[in-house]
Amino acid sequence: MLLKTLQTMRIPTGLLCASLLLSSHSVTYAATPQEAAKADPVLSAMQAELDREAANLVLPGMQRPYFIEYRLDDFATYEAVANFGALVREETGHQRIVRVTVRIGDYTTDSSSNRGDGSIALAPTDNNPEAIRHCLWTATDEAYKAALRAFTAKQAALKRFQNTPTEKDFSPAKPVVHVGPLAQVQIDHDEWKKRIIEASGLFATDPEVKSFAADVQYSSSNLRSVAVNRYLVNTEGTVVREGYSGYAANISVGGQAPDGMQLSRDNGTIGATAKELDDWPAFRKRVIDDIKSLEALRNAPVVSAEDYHGPVLFSGDAAADLMNNLFIPNVEAARPEMGTTARTQGAYNSSFHARVLPEFLSATDDPALKTFNGHGLLGAYEVDDDGVPAQAVNVAVAGKLENYLIGRTPVRDFPESNGHGRAPVGQAARSHEGVMIFKSSAPLTGEAINARLVAMAKEQKRDVYAVETLGGELAPRLLYQVHPDGSRTLVRGAVFDELDTRSLRSDIIAAGDDEHVANLLGTVPTTTIAPSLLFDDIGVKRATEEQQKLPYYGPPAL
């Protein structure tokens, strides 16, 4: 199934990442590539074909590649979905995809582009060395011919620009040898099928919520698990095998308010191992709480039509979503377009050494951190997806942007990788978050930060806001009016106004000590750890979405 989301022809490959620093005792420079590969039949086949191609790959009158990389992604999946108390889908999958990168030229100027380079192909799912090598041979041929064409086109394009690139196209890296344990999907399928079936039907069976079951228009629960083992060899001598697994169990319920407004509650439990997921009593409580909060939203008043600018308190959950959307993408360095003089792309392309957060907030990305306050961290890794050891990077120090996350595509002032080249299955590695931690030098307790919010309401003699969870496009899902007496009223139908990177820099006035761990099991697994954040001036206004008509008649009898 996952292959359907990948391009089946040549896929642009971002420039890859490297590091000259060693950050894990299990990563070595000692063994030869051939010795490291011997213990694994996949690595052995990949190394043998790489050695052959490195010696022979050249067309008459054409340039020989200066760099070749083979990456094989082996991914196994299991997914089950239940709706309204019945199983609707169960799938188990196993695929392998190889990605071959060939570079023509040299480290200073080569055939790569922002769109990337290379070729991909399906690989055999068994460990037949001849089949693996044949797959690599055909993909290498395709990648080499594409690189020759790209290099010629790039040389012609560079002549059109007065400003030539100031950084190399690709940063050299020391060879790394790291053969980690293989990951597997390890979860009790039957038990979790039973759980999600029951969870998706609780709206109609549980005494606490079945009285308003007719108001639930959809109720779905799913389990998703994945195990990825990544094999990588290149002509610099790097040999890597690293695996990870991830598990997520979710609940989604939705309906409409009496005025037709679409409402939903969606959340779940995520872990690096199946044991880290909620047990059944906890998951069941999560479902019941979601159904109750959906009914509370249905009966909640619509937010005031009068636009608001003032204090808003974001929970740790909401703050993590905020940083994932506004801060982190802008510190993942990306080479600017050819002919431009910008350092990188995004809102922080000219913010190096400038303040991007309040002085009491700092941000560090540390992929080597595997647990935090008892939580397993999905974003952790020892070696990045280009064979570069993971490094802790102080991204923002006392509010100032001091580093970008970067791979082997240098940008101005950052000539080397800091171990943050990461790739979705079958796709190119690019600069990406691992485990990003936001920390305050003056954290407030939960009681203190809420007291400060209420004090601001009293001082301004008006209601203020607190948001518990966010949805798509940073829209508040659970938003509360906080009154000067400290009481709260749930409201619906609001959106934030002018919530952007300037808000992060200028409007945060306090942070809590309640560091929330947000694991994301996306195409690249990541972890963001953030405290609650108090803003002094955020806009809140009524959404302008057109309301939908209610169903013409009720649901079937339960």
Side-chain angles (χ1 to χ4, degrees):
M1 295 294 292
L2 182 55
L3 183 60
K4 294 180 181 179
T5 67
L6 304 176
Q7 299 181 21
T8 57
M9 301 182 70
R10 264 184 233 100
I11 293 184
T13 302
L15 297 175
L16 306 176
C17 314
S19 170
L20 301 180
L21 297 181
L22 191 61
S23 63
S24 171
H25 70 275
S26 63
V27 180
T28 72
Y29 297 109
T32 68
Q34 292 75 15
E35 291 171 345
K38 283 181 181 178
D40 185 287
V42 176
L43 284 176
S44 182
M46 293 171 68
Q47 187 65 52
E49 186 59 27
L50 180 68
D51 291 342
R52 190 176 78 96
E53 298 286 356
N56 300 318
L57 184 60
V58 62
L59 287 173
M62 297 295 181
Q63 285 184 272
R64 185 184 294 275
Y66 81 94
F67 178 87
I68 305 173
E69 178 187 83
Y70 291 164
R71 198 182 80 215
L72 185 149
D73 293 335
D74 179 303
F75 56 102
T77 59
Y78 173 75
E79 184 173 10
V81 181
N83 293 340
F84 300 111
L87 187 71
V88 296
R89 182 158 60 88
E90 181 181 18
E91 291 183 355
T92 300
H94 181 212
Q95 282 187 317
R96 281 178 173 175
I97 294 177
V98 295
R99 183 176 187 89
V100 175
T101 300
V102 174
R103 290 174 178 265
I104 300 295
D106 55 33
Y107 287 101
T108 300
T109 305
D110 68 16
S111 52
S112 63
S113 70
N114 280 356
R115 294 185 302 276
D117 50 88
S119 63
I120 66 168
L122 284 173
T125 54
D126 61 18
N127 293 337
N128 184 306
E130 290 78 14
I132 292 173
R133 291 185 62 176
H134 194 279
C135 175
L136 291 168
W137 168 64
T138 57
T140 304
D141 181 72
E142 180 183 357
Y144 175 52
K145 292 171 181 175
L148 288 171
R149 293 191 296 269
F151 189 53
T152 300
K154 185 172 182 177
Q155 287 179 312
L158 285 171
K159 294 177 181 177
R160 297 169 26 223
F161 299 105
Q162 182 177 357
N163 296 318
T164 58
T166 58
E167 297 297 334
K168 294 179 178 180
D169 278 348
F170 197 47
S171 59
K174 286 184 179 180
V176 167
V177 173
H178 169 69
V179 181
L182 292 171
Q184 294 179 310
V185 172
Q186 295 180 319
I187 193 166
D188 188 331
H189 294 182
D190 292 337
E191 174 60 26
W192 270 100
K193 275 193 294 184
K194 177 183 175 183
R195 292 182 186 183
I196 64 169
I197 290 170
E198 184 172 346
S200 69
L202 281 174
F203 76 99
T205 60
D206 188 89
E208 291 187 73
V209 296
K210 68 178 183 180
S211 62
F212 41 85
D215 299 329
V216 177
Q217 295 178 356
Y218 66 85
S219 176
S220 180
S221 184
N222 72 81
L223 172 73
R224 186 163 62 98
S225 56
V226 61
V228 175
N229 290 295
R230 182 155 285 166
Y231 304 79
L232 183 146
V233 297
N234 67 34
T235 48
E236 292 173 330
T238 287
V239 176
V240 171
R241 186 185 74 189
E242 181 154 24
Y244 69 83
S245 59
Y247 302 83
N250 300 294
I251 181 67
S252 179
V253 293
Q256 289 176 271
D259 59 8
M261 182 181 291
Q262 297 280 358
L263 302 168
S264 66
R265 294 290 295 121
D266 310 272
N267 65 48
T269 171
I270 300 178
T273 67
K275 292 180 180 179
E276 294 173 14
L277 298 180
D278 288 350
D279 60 16
W280 172 239
F283 191 63
R284 187 181 187 282
K285 182 180 184 302
R286 182 188 295 274
V287 176
I288 297 301
D289 288 347
D290 273 3
I291 299 169
K292 287 180 177 178
S293 63
L294 175 65
E295 183 65 12
L297 277 172
R298 289 189 68 259
N299 297 313
V302 179
V303 71
S304 172
E306 184 177 347
D307 287 359
Y308 166 91
H309 281 273
V312 177
L313 175 62
F314 286 70
S315 70
D317 185 330
D321 284 344
L322 194 66
M323 292 305 190
N324 281 333
N325 281 269
L326 298 182
F327 181 86
I328 292 172
N330 291 307
V331 299
E332 295 170 338
R335 176 71 67 89
E337 293 298 325
M338 189 183 300
T340 65
T341 59
R343 177 177 285 105
T344 180
Q345 299 184 36
Y348 292 161
N349 62 33
S350 60
S351 299
F352 187 40
H353 292 321
R355 192 165 66 80
V356 293
L357 296 172
E359 291 183 358
F360 58 82
L361 265 189
S362 294
T364 298
D365 194 287
D366 186 3
L369 188 65
K370 295 183 178 181
T371 61
F372 185 88
N373 290 345
H375 297 274
L377 306 182
L378 278 178
Y381 57 91
E382 293 187 61
V383 180
D384 77 2
D385 293 331
D386 293 306
V388 178
Q391 297 177 40
V393 177
N394 293 321
V395 178
V397 179
K400 288 187 177 181
L401 182 62
E402 300 295 351
N403 284 289
Y404 294 91
L405 305 179
I406 192 165
R408 291 183 70 175
T409 305
V411 298
R412 181 155 47 95
D413 299 313
F414 295 88
E416 299 173 355
S417 166
N418 53 32
H420 281 80
R422 309 193 65 200
V425 169
Q427 297 187 34
R430 302 186 185 277
S431 304
H432 210 289
E433 169 197 14
V435 177
M436 185 74 77
I437 307 167
F438 296 90
K439 203 167 188 66
S440 171
S441 60
L444 300 180
T445 65
E447 182 179 353
I449 200 168
N450 277 285
R452 187 165 181 183
L453 178 68
V454 172
M456 296 174 79
K458 291 178 179 178
E459 181 182 344
Q460 298 177 20
K461 298 180 180 179
R462 61 170 178 166
D463 294 337
V464 294
Y465 287 94
V467 57
E468 187 174 316
T469 62
L470 298 177
E473 299 182 356
L474 298 181
R477 285 278 180 85
L478 291 181
L479 180 69
Y480 295 88
Q481 274 186 329
V482 181
H483 308 297
D485 64 0
S487 61
R488 295 187 173 201
T489 300
L490 180 67
V491 294
R492 59 183 172 90
V495 293
F496 292 121
D497 189 30
E498 298 179 355
L499 180 58
D500 53 27
T501 55
R502 293 170 296 181
S503 305
L504 300 184
R505 181 183 67 244
S506 303
D507 295 329
I508 301 174
I509 59 173
D513 63 358
D514 53 339
E515 294 157 315
H516 176 81
V517 177
N519 280 318
L520 299 178
L521 187 56
T523 56
V524 176
T526 61
T527 301
T528 301
I529 301 172
S532 54
L533 297 173
L534 177 59
F535 290 75
D536 67 347
D537 188 16
I538 295 293
V540 179
K541 64 181 183 180
R542 182 177 291 183
T544 57
E545 296 178 5
E546 182 180 351
Q547 307 296 17
Q548 302 298 312
K549 292 182 179 179
L550 293 168
Y552 290 110
Y553 43 85
L558 297 171

